[in-house]
Amino acid sequence: MLTRLRSDERGVPVMGISRQSEAAYVAKRYLIDRKSKVEIAKEIRSSRFRVARLIDEAYNGGCVRISVDLPIGVDFEISTQLRERFGLQHAAVVHSGTRDAGEVRQALAPVAASFLTEVIREGDVLGITPGRTLRQLDKYVTELPYCDVVQLTGVANPNIESGMGVVARLAAVSRGRAHFLYSPLTVSEASVAEGIRRQPAIRRTLSRIDDLDVAFVTIGSWDPPQSQLFDNMVDEDFRTRLLGEGIHGEVGATLIHEDGRLSEQLAPVAIAVTAAQLAQARNVIAVAGGTGKTTAIRAALLSGMVNTLITDAFTAQELLV
């Protein structure tokens, strides 16, 4: 004979202690011990249909509570909102506890490293822009599938060697080849840039970028200035003119207007990945945050150049306004 359970005002069955104990036991065997409903039915000498009812009662009666926690301080709710707002493949919002640019970079690095180990595949070509944010990436990467690692831009910082360490170390971890761009990011004249591109080592690296599968990039802000490219441009008059035209940020050497429109005005004097090359990659993951970056990040998201964003919670909240 079937026993009809009393229900509360919401229609949820009210279970006695005996029924609660049985439902909790069945739920444990099913959810934690990974037993099938058929196995549990044999164990308690009942039917799998009754086992299914007991599991439902365990959920509805409060015996089972589900909690989903993301690692390293990632906020799942805000990450989901950001992904849906901008149509991204993935988003990870990190609670850094600060807006200081240096501390935000430190907080984002382990999350970016986790993404890297998840998205890279055997035989991929991995591209890295040698910005300040990504120089800390390799500290948290201890294992990668075999892949070549390509430097995506020349170095904006006057110390060219400073941007190459992460490329070399990630290539060592992956047992692949490192492809460097021994060059500044921008030069004063197009003829100088063309001469650099003709150098055999530079030409080989630029050619390898054509095979890009996964790119990790940073986003520079021009208004307010939070960009090594902006700070180290040789032609200050040209920089002033670009600001006057409404440039708000950059990815690589591709400039971005506030509404997401792209500008390749730096292309003739730049040694860098192009927007067209990034568009061929399977994943373009931007790692950016901290004070003053919100407008540039929004512009980059609107441009469609990136499909994944790793940022801090303060910046994410501003992006969602």
Side-chain angles (χ1 to χ4, degrees), residues 34-87:
R34 302 296 181 128
K35 297 295 183 180
S36 71
K37 293 174 184 176
V38 172
E39 289 175 314
I40 299 169
K42 289 180 180 178
E43 182 180 332
I44 66 171
R45 298 182 180 180
S46 186
S47 71
R48 62 185 177 89
F49 302 105
R50 184 167 179 273
V51 167
R53 285 198 302 273
L54 286 167
I55 292 170
D56 286 341
E57 289 171 15
Y59 277 112
N60 295 330
C63 297
V64 174
R65 296 180 181 86
I66 297 176
S67 175
V68 179
D69 294 317
L70 291 180
I72 336 177
V74 174
D75 189 306
F76 176 75
E77 183 175 353
I78 303 177
S79 299
T80 301
Q81 292 175 14
L82 201 61
R83 177 176 56 80
E84 293 177 349
R85 172 72 64 86
F86 292 97

Side-chain angles (χ1 to χ4, degrees), residues 153-156 181 183-197 202 206 222 229 232-239 241-242 252-255 263-274:
T153 71
V155 180
L181 289 175
S183 164
L185 176 49
T186 60
V187 292
S188 57
E189 298 180 8
S191 59
V192 176
E194 187 57 37
I196 292 173
R197 294 190 200 102
I202 300 290
L206 293 174
W222 281 46
L229 170 59
N232 293 286
M233 278 190 67
V234 176
D235 190 337
E236 293 188 9
D237 291 337
F238 186 29
R239 182 180 69 183
R241 179 167 66 80
L242 291 171
T254 299
L255 305 176
S263 170
E264 297 288 0
Q265 292 190 65
L266 282 181
V269 295
I271 314 299
V273 64
T274 65

Side-chain angles (χ1 to χ4, degrees), residues 97-108:
T98 178
R99 303 209 68 171
D100 176 76
E103 293 184 34
V104 168
R105 286 194 288 268
Q106 291 179 17
L108 299 184

